[in-house]
Amino acid sequence: MQPLELLYGLGALVLLAALVWGIVQYKTRNKANDPLTEAATREEYDHPETYEQKQDEFKEQVRPS
């Protein structure tokens, strides 16, 4: 077995682990925060110059998972 073949295998395992981690994070998120996330994103795009001031207000409204 060539060393390069081993690296391809390890790279595939790392990619698989990253995909599994991302799926688990997505499935276990607190869905009650989705409207807040949407509002924060809209605020950031509509008013980028004042978003940093409102960012703390959004953070206070986040519900823990």
Side-chain angles (χ1 to χ4, degrees):
M1 185 174 220
Q2 300 270 339
L4 192 56
E5 292 173 1
L6 183 61
L7 287 177
Y8 283 133
L10 288 175
L13 285 174
V14 168
L15 180 60
L16 178 64
L19 287 171
V20 168
W21 179 81
I23 290 169
V24 168
Q25 291 295 313
Y26 179 77
K27 292 292 185 182
T28 59
R29 76 188 194 286
N30 187 347
K31 293 167 187 68
N33 286 327
D34 285 354
L36 179 62
T37 303
E38 194 67 33
T41 303
R42 194 173 307 110
E43 180 68 27
E44 186 174 14
Y45 280 103
D46 291 344
H47 308 288
E49 61 282 345
T50 60
Y51 177 72
E52 286 188 25
Q53 298 166 351
K54 289 198 167 197
Q55 189 174 13
D56 292 332
E57 294 174 23
F58 286 120
K59 285 182 181 180
E60 290 173 2
Q61 296 175 19
V62 172
R63 297 179 188 162
S65 48

